[in-house]
Amino acid sequence: MDLKDHIRAIPDFPQPGILFRDITPLLGNPVAMQYSIDRFAEQVADYRVDYIVGIESRGFIFGMPLAYKLGVGFAPVRKPGKLPAAVHAASYALEYGSDTLELHQDAFPTGSRVLIIDDLIATGGTAAATAELIEQTGCTVAGFGFLIELVGLGGRAKLPDVPITVLLQY
Ligand code: AMP
C-alpha cells in the first residue's frame, strides 16, 4: 500500500505559494483509511500512552480512531473560544498565518503520558504549541504522530526530544 497514491496535491491553497496536501481521497478509501490507522497503532505501540490529543481539525480524524484502537482517552485541542470549560492557551505560527490553540485544563490527570496526533507537520509550530499545552496541564508528551511530514520545512526540530511517528514524507 503506497499511501501517497491517496494524497492529492492542490497548488495555491489556501493561498498562493502553498502546495496543500489533501487527505480527503485517503479518507474516502476504506482500505487506505484503515491501513493508516492500523500503521499508526503499530508504530506507537511502545510509546506507553495514557491519552491522545488531536489537533483541530484534521488531527481529530486520525486521533479518535487511534484512541479507540489503543483503548485510551481522547481530548481535542481547539481554536480559541470553542472549549466551554477553563482552558490553557498557547500561540503558534503556521506555514500560513498564526493562531492560538486551547486545551481544557482538566483534560488529563496530572502525570499522564499524552500522544499528540495531527494530519501533517509543516513548520512544526502547531505541534510545538500543543506540546506546550500538555506541559501546562502537568503531563508528559509521550510522542507525536503525523500522517504526513513536509521534511524540507524542518518542523521536527521545534519539537521536544520524544519519539515521532510519520506515515509518509514529502
Ligand atoms: P505547521 O504548524 O506549520 O507544522 O502546520 C501544520 C498544520 O497546518 C497542520 O494542522 C496541517 O493540517 C496544516 N498544514 C500546513 N501546511 C499544510 C500543507 N502544505 N498541506 C496541508 N495542510 C497543511
Side-chain angles (χ1 to χ4, degrees), residues 39 43 47 55 77 91 117 141:
R39 291 296 82 70
Q43 293 190 25
Y47 285 16
I55 306 176
V77 160
S91 293
I117 296 288
V141 179

Side-chain angles (χ1 to χ4, degrees), residues 142-161:
F144 294 88
F146 306 98
L147 182 75
I148 301 170
E149 178 181 16
L150 303 185
V151 180
L153 294 172
R156 65 169 64 216
K158 286 209 185 87
L159 305 184
D161 186 21

Side-chain angles (χ1 to χ4, degrees), residues 58-132:
R58 289 183 296 272
F60 300 168
I61 294 171
F62 295 99
M64 251 310 295
L66 186 57
Y68 182 87
K69 204 169 162 83
L70 297 182
V72 301
F74 175 88
V77 160
R78 300 213 59 186
K79 304 279 169 59
K82 300 289 188 183
L83 290 171
V87 295
H88 294 301
S91 293
Y92 66 106
L94 265 182
E95 190 180 0
Y96 37 87
S98 73
D99 214 338
T100 297
L101 290 174
E102 294 183 346
L103 173 66
H104 272 149
Q105 291 179 5
D106 63 354
F108 328 105
T110 306
S112 301
R113 291 175 54 81
V114 181
L115 173 65
I116 295 173
I117 296 288
D118 204 357
D119 67 325
L120 182 146
I121 179 167
T123 66
T126 308
T130 302
E132 275 178 48

